[in-house]
Amino acid sequence: MNEGRTASDAVRLVRLGFADVVRADAHLRSPELAPLLEGRRAAQLLEALAGAPDPDLALHGLQRLVEAQSPDRRAALVEALDSDPVLRTMLLTVLGSSVALGDHLARHPDHWSGASGESIAGGRPSAEELRAALVAAVGAEPGHRDPVAQLTGVEARDALRVEYRRLLLSAAARDLSGHVLLEDVAGELADLAAGTLEAALAVARGELPVDVEPCRLSVIAMGKCGGRELNYVSDVDVVYVAEPITGGNEKLALDTATRLAGSLARICSDQTGEGTIWPVDANLRPEGKSGALVRTLASHLAYYERWAQTWEFQALLKARAVAGDLELGAAYVEAVAPFIWRAAGREGFVEDARAMRRRVESAIPAKDADRELKLGKGGLRDVEFSVQLLQLVHGRSDVFVRSPTTLVALEQLSTHGYVGRADAAELDRAYRFLRTMEHRIQLFRLRRTHVVPTDDAELRRIARSMGFRTNPAAELTELWRRHRHEVRRLHEKLFYRPLLNAVARLQTGEARLTPEAARARLEALGYADPVGALRHLEALTTGVSRRAAIQRTLLPVLLGWFAEAPDPDAGLLGFRRISDALGGSHWYLGLLRDAGAAAERLARVLASSRYATDLLMRAPEAVSMLADDDELVPRGEAALTAEVLAAVGRNVDPSTAIRTVLALRRRELFRTSAADLLGLLDVDEVGRALSDITSATIVGGLAVARSTVAAARRGAAWPTTFAVIAMGRFGGYELGYGSDADVLFVHEPLPGAAEQDATDTAHALANELRRLLASPGPDPQLVVDADLRPEGRQGPLVRSLASYAAYYARWSVVWESQALLRAMPIAGDADLGARFLQLIDGMRYPVDGLSEADVREIRRIKARVEAERLPRGADPGSHLKLGPGGLADVEWTTQLVQLRHAAGHPALRTTSTMDALREAGQLGLLDEADVETLSSAWRLATRARNGGVLVRGRVSDSLPSDTRELAGVARMLGYAPGHTGEFIEDYRRAMRRSRAIVERAFYR
């Protein structure tokens, strides 16, 4: 390995991740590393170096470490690195992450293994083991109640620093190698700090004059140390509490305790030849810097009783006795607890907490604001303040949400219903990411910093240490920004949305919440109109009826579910309206009470979709569908048609019959929309279901129209057969919630019938069908659109089969052939419908394909549609149908392939866009990857189009411009709360890719 290097060796070093190949080559040629590069060891070492966050730094640190070893220890190190792959990975990961720890190893080369031979790859020590090691390092007796160090002065300080760094090195090795979780690392660092405080206090005792008044002194950790979630480099926040020994002088005892506390702080923060540890910050004590450094327990309590500000109670959340007299410390923690859990009842408590957070943000230097990981917007403090505020509010009555550790407290708040599960999971992920990033930044030089660097090399090292490998710096920055955005979004909710049992947590027989308390809870859940919501709650729960009692039980749960959906206020209003309609029905509240799925689904539907809610208002009994997955499966065309015809047959009166048909449509639209909202149907199944519903509705409407027209003929013989041909997305079984029903009407006079009578009857039948289905009402409108007929709106509404044949033979143009690709008989005479298809097959599947002139004409029409059909002022990038890469682009591209090749490939003779695309890919007419891109874009645009109708309750072909509605669409498409921007980016990316294929496959 040490022989002459070649260009290929340099290339290999670059591929392994080395930035400075010349320097790396020099290190690898050094005689110190020669034993590690013999035989198979070379491959092992280079592989481990390549895996380090910074291979150059790791290699440089390794050479320094080997150089610093004595001959015996060098051999032991080489053997250990050769035989122990875990140690090899851990050591090089540390060396490739931290200059400071590399310097420490160079000064203390034996610290890659412990005094008893264990390496840094050993197991995690307990808090007691850490405390014992640190106390012993200063010559004190581990386990003694008040240990006194035998070492003093610089010797004691150096010994403490060396042992602290040795233990820190092992913790970092486990952390960087992914052998422990964040909470384990943070807990170990807090335990290490606690042990250090104990050892420093032992040194302080050893340096006291012998004639001072004895005292009891306890060190109370606050902040992250108290919460067992400490950083690598951080001030350690403490409060001191002291008492005289039995019969002692209190004033003199406090003097002694003050000397000990001051000495302890200096011992930890003094700069020596072995550096420093960290500052000990006692500014969280009563009166801050102006107050006494040490107080008795009674003095602390008197201050908290009378003078303390809101933020001081928030700080006390994390108080924990860590050093000195632990019995006294435990008494302090127990005594201050009641103050913590009464704090939320103070006047102006919430605003005080908000104001404190604003002050923290305003103090950030402008140049660091966007890169401040801890204090900035979307930073660690946002998570911590949110969790602490919720704890202070809800911990008053719930002892199960009082953990001083942020992640544990967040889990408790979620488990007990005060934070939504999705929100808690997002905050947990974000907090872990941000804390890990903070750790990696601090580890490099072991400096207290929370600012994300701008240097690419530093970002790359940090990113690689966190597992990013493809494009480390960019990936890290992108994920950091996403987490920051999500944290800020959640932080800005008042109290942040709890999940279950969050508002009016009432059981039967319990007193109702006061209006003031209920309003505060509604605000905490994120209701925009808590006053209005409170009125709904009172209307639903007031009284002694069984209905009111059950609703008092249901509402705490329902309110949390409403709050998880995009529009909780609409959800509560909808629930009240449904309950007013059905609350007297014995099955309704029983269903919601006993079938958890029904209640949760109802809440989700009501708070997510105006479209579904409006349907449910007209058919409230459809709530029963929500209890069973099978009830939410679309019924299918055959079953629906049979039910419709049976219903029409039972009703002689046409108006009653058509109301029955429309009621069935309403019910089935709710079934489909609810299943869609609940994620039980994919976009293809939704299109099929909506097409089946429309088909059955037209079949029923046609039956009613025929009876009406027949009655008007007063017994005259029926003169013609009649069929309805579905066109467009209807013919392709791809309807959306806002789609018109595009159709053609065809008839054929019966033998012996007068042609004019047949024509008039067919027109009367078509007009009556359209009139019946266009009846005004609250249901989603069904427009039966015949504009795709020959000559468009200028042509006759109905033609005979012979008239169609004559027209298509003489006058048809290529766009009509294109439109007929999706023609499908759906109602009326089946034989006539089949013969219509026979008539048009030669047009839509031309034997010779398309001429160049026809292709140019299709492209010209498409270009004209793009230029003229887009609504004035509309954003093309947001237009789902006509925008670049959208529905029209995909459909026209697919139809061009069909017109060209369907005659020779029967598999292409389908009215379904997705089926045709798939077959085109399998036949090699389109690239398989292009098919996948086009299909994905079409499905995404269709889902977004459907989502817009469901959320808003009205039809539009563009993405919503209203941010709340857009967020609702994103949520429906599966994006987490706060990820609307991600949805927009995904949509635009999909449309760009789709348009690029259209440019290539359609226009060239």
Side-chain angles (χ1 to χ4, degrees), residues 48 210 217 222 381 556 582 707 785 889:
V210 295
L217 174 66
M222 308 286 278
R381 278 290 186 267
L582 287 176
S707 67
D785 187 340
D889 269 1

Side-chain angles (χ1 to χ4, degrees), residues 60-406:
H60 178 64
L62 179 62
Q63 181 171 359
R64 293 178 68 202
L65 173 61
V66 173
E67 285 176 347
Q69 301 290 319
S70 66
D72 290 345
R73 294 290 290 173
R74 183 177 299 179
L77 174 60
V78 170
E79 176 58 29
L81 291 175
D82 180 41
S83 61
D84 189 343
V86 174
L87 171 64
R88 183 167 59 244
T89 299
M90 283 181 135
L91 182 59
L92 292 177
T93 300
V94 168
L95 291 172
S97 300
S98 175
V99 168
L101 291 177
D103 291 343
H104 175 80
L105 278 169
R107 289 197 308 274
H108 302 280
D110 290 349
H111 279 191
W112 66 268
S113 66
S116 58
E118 78 279 6
S119 74
I120 60 172
R124 178 186 170 198
S126 67
E128 292 74 19
E129 290 170 331
L130 290 170
R131 185 181 297 262
L134 289 157
V135 168
V138 296
E141 182 181 347
H144 194 280
R145 176 167 178 166
D146 296 308
V148 178
Q150 300 302 307
L151 301 179
T152 60
V154 173
E155 184 181 9
R157 287 155 175 74
D158 281 348
L160 182 56
R161 282 150 178 68
V162 170
E163 183 63 10
Y164 175 82
R165 290 291 174 88
R166 182 184 75 82
L167 295 170
L168 185 71
L169 172 66
S170 294
R174 287 185 291 277
D175 177 17
L176 289 163
S177 301
H179 288 205
V180 288
L181 298 174
L182 170 69
E183 52 265 45
D184 298 325
V185 177
E188 184 173 350
L189 293 172
D191 292 339
L192 185 54
T196 302
L197 291 170
E198 188 70 85
L201 186 55
V203 175
R205 289 194 192 98
E207 295 178 348
L208 275 179
V210 295
D211 58 348
V212 297
E213 178 77 10
C215 69
R216 298 174 65 196
L217 174 66
S218 182
V219 183
I220 310 298
M222 308 286 278
K224 285 188 166 61
C225 185
R228 297 195 73 252
E229 50 188 8
L230 196 61
N231 305 333
Y232 278 97
V233 188
S234 175
D235 290 357
V236 172
D237 296 309
V238 299
V239 168
Y240 301 106
V241 59
E243 296 289 343
I245 63 172
T246 303
N249 181 290
E250 181 178 300
K251 181 180 183 306
L252 295 177
L254 284 177
D255 288 344
T256 301
T258 301
R259 291 179 66 174
L260 285 172
S263 181
L264 178 152
R266 290 189 295 275
I267 289 166
C268 292
S269 61
D270 282 350
Q271 184 78 31
T272 76
E274 290 293 342
T276 186
I277 303 178
W278 22 248
V280 176
D281 188 341
N283 289 339
L284 293 178
R285 66 187 184 269
E287 300 181 84
K289 293 180 180 180
S290 301
L293 182 61
V294 180
R295 288 175 182 254
T296 63
L297 178 54
S299 176
H300 277 283
L301 297 181
Y303 174 82
Y304 291 129
E305 183 71 53
R306 192 169 183 186
W307 304 109
Q309 300 179 49
T310 297
W311 68 265
E312 295 178 270
F313 298 114
Q314 184 175 344
L316 286 172
L317 270 170
K318 297 183 181 294
R320 178 172 65 101
V322 294
D325 191 319
L326 297 181
E327 183 179 338
L328 175 59
Y332 170 90
V333 172
E334 182 180 0
V336 300
F339 294 98
I340 301 170
W341 307 118
R342 291 200 301 263
R346 292 163 61 99
E347 184 178 353
F349 167 77
V350 173
E351 184 51 42
D352 284 349
R354 291 174 178 163
M356 180 179 175
R357 180 69 186 107
R358 289 195 294 268
R359 285 195 298 272
V360 170
E361 285 184 19
S362 65
I364 303 171
K367 64 182 180 63
D368 296 333
D370 289 338
R371 308 192 73 81
E372 171 58 59
L373 200 62
K374 177 182 177 181
L375 304 177
K377 295 180 179 180
L380 292 162
R381 278 290 186 267
D382 273 357
V383 181
E384 292 160 0
F385 270 54
S386 303
V387 169
Q388 290 163 23
L389 189 57
L390 283 168
Q391 286 183 284
L392 290 167
V393 170
H394 300 300
R396 292 175 293 173
S397 57
D398 192 341
V399 298
F400 297 108
V401 295
R402 295 182 175 183
S403 172
T405 306
T406 300

Side-chain angles (χ1 to χ4, degrees), residues 611 669 672-673 676 686 690 735-739 780 946 949-950 955 972:
Y611 180 94
L669 286 175
T672 300
S673 61
D676 192 3
V686 170
L690 293 174
L735 283 181
Y737 294 104
S739 299
N946 283 344
V949 177
L950 286 175
V955 178
M972 187 188 162

